[in-house]
Amino acid sequence: MPESVQVVIAKYREDVSWAERLGLSYIVYDKSSEPLTDARRLPNIGREAHTYLTHIVEQWESLAGHTAFVQGNPFDHLNDHGKADVQELRSMIMDCVERNVPFRGFAWFRLRCDGLGRPHDLGNPENRGRWPGWGKDIPVAEVFSRLFAAEPPREFIARAATGLFCVSAERIRTRPREFYEYALRLVAEDPRDTENTGHALERLWQLVFNGNRAWNKDKYF
């Protein structure tokens, strides 16, 4: 029987020893070159979107009732003080499970942007070199159009900013497995996120998991 909840942690070089204190089933996907300790190695491509989509595709038949997807250090963004702890994260996750919430973003803030991801800080001189896609816009509307059989909205409100959210297996499966396989190919084709494909997914998770089956395409290629 699948777990009622599982935490998926996208790790690079963060200390994820906090996961044990959650008291919940979890799996760490490690994209660093550090020695593995109770983690699964993935290639360092596609940002956390690659990690999350890999988990969904490979665990499709055995997804937990709810899966919390988080980065290796999620605590800076859970509240407006930047000082959240493990118990606050656990409370957020368990609230979703106990109330059977289909989707919830965990970051305390929302991002509002247009189809090019504007406003964003990828042109900020202080961030030069921080991301391979620095100096470019974020193709939010383009990625939306590749994923969904719908016209992209003029404005996007990202409710899972920073890639922190919990979603039910039922809501995940409102889209076919082929959808996630296709999305995984999109991010893998932009391995270093030079075109900001992974950044775009960060602004689209709430639409990926909005449950609108009418947006599903007949074929994904």
Side-chain angles (χ1 to χ4, degrees), residues 30-42:
D30 192 331
K31 291 190 172 183
S32 74
S33 57
E34 299 171 347
L36 290 180
T37 303
D38 297 325
R40 179 186 167 188
R41 177 82 74 205
L42 285 181

Side-chain angles (χ1 to χ4, degrees), residues 115-214:
L116 293 174
R118 300 175 180 175
H120 59 71
D121 59 1
L122 291 177
N124 188 332
E126 296 180 0
N127 290 326
R128 181 187 292 272
R130 183 177 176 186
W131 302 289
W134 182 89
K136 299 179 181 179
D137 284 321
I138 303 173
V140 182
E142 177 185 342
V143 173
F144 177 99
S145 294
R146 296 180 74 176
L147 291 175
F148 303 115
E151 289 295 320
R154 295 180 60 184
E155 181 178 71
F156 297 83
I157 301 177
R159 296 193 290 112
T162 72
L164 307 172
F165 58 91
C166 188
V167 60
S168 70
E170 181 179 6
R171 181 58 64 86
I172 291 173
R173 293 188 179 115
T174 58
R175 306 212 184 282
R177 186 175 186 172
E178 290 76 15
F179 169 89
Y180 298 101
E181 292 171 337
Y182 176 67
L184 183 57
R185 291 198 300 272
L186 291 186
V187 296
E189 289 168 1
D190 186 15
R192 298 186 66 242
D193 207 38
T194 304
E195 302 305 321
N196 292 317
T197 307
H199 270 93
L201 260 297
E202 185 177 307
R203 287 156 171 76
L204 291 172
W205 290 124
Q206 72 282 347
L207 301 180
V208 169
F209 301 116
N210 71 356
N212 189 345
R213 296 177 187 270

Side-chain angles (χ1 to χ4, degrees), residues 54-171:
T54 295
H55 179 82
I56 291 172
V57 168
E58 296 190 355
Q59 301 298 318
W60 185 259
E61 300 295 340
S62 57
L63 290 168
H66 279 79
T67 304
F69 293 91
V70 301
Q71 296 192 20
N73 178 18
F75 303 108
D76 291 346
H77 304 295
L78 297 181
N79 61 41
D80 59 356
H81 305 299
K83 297 180 180 179
D85 59 20
V86 173
Q87 289 307 308
E88 186 167 351
L89 176 58
R90 177 187 165 86
S91 294
M92 290 178 171
I93 295 171
M94 293 310 299
D95 181 67
C96 293
V97 175
E98 291 166 1
R99 297 194 298 113
N100 196 27
V101 177
F103 176 85
R104 177 184 174 185
F106 287 153
W108 67 271
F109 59 91
R110 304 290 183 263
L111 294 178
R112 186 185 301 266
C113 69
D114 65 10
L116 293 174
R118 300 175 180 175
H120 59 71
D121 59 1
L122 291 177
N124 188 332
E126 296 180 0
N127 290 326
R128 181 187 292 272
R130 183 177 176 186
W131 302 289
W134 182 89
K136 299 179 181 179
D137 284 321
I138 303 173
V140 182
E142 177 185 342
V143 173
F144 177 99
S145 294
R146 296 180 74 176
L147 291 175
F148 303 115
E151 289 295 320
R154 295 180 60 184
E155 181 178 71
F156 297 83
I157 301 177
R159 296 193 290 112
T162 72
L164 307 172
F165 58 91
C166 188
V167 60
S168 70
E170 181 179 6
R171 181 58 64 86

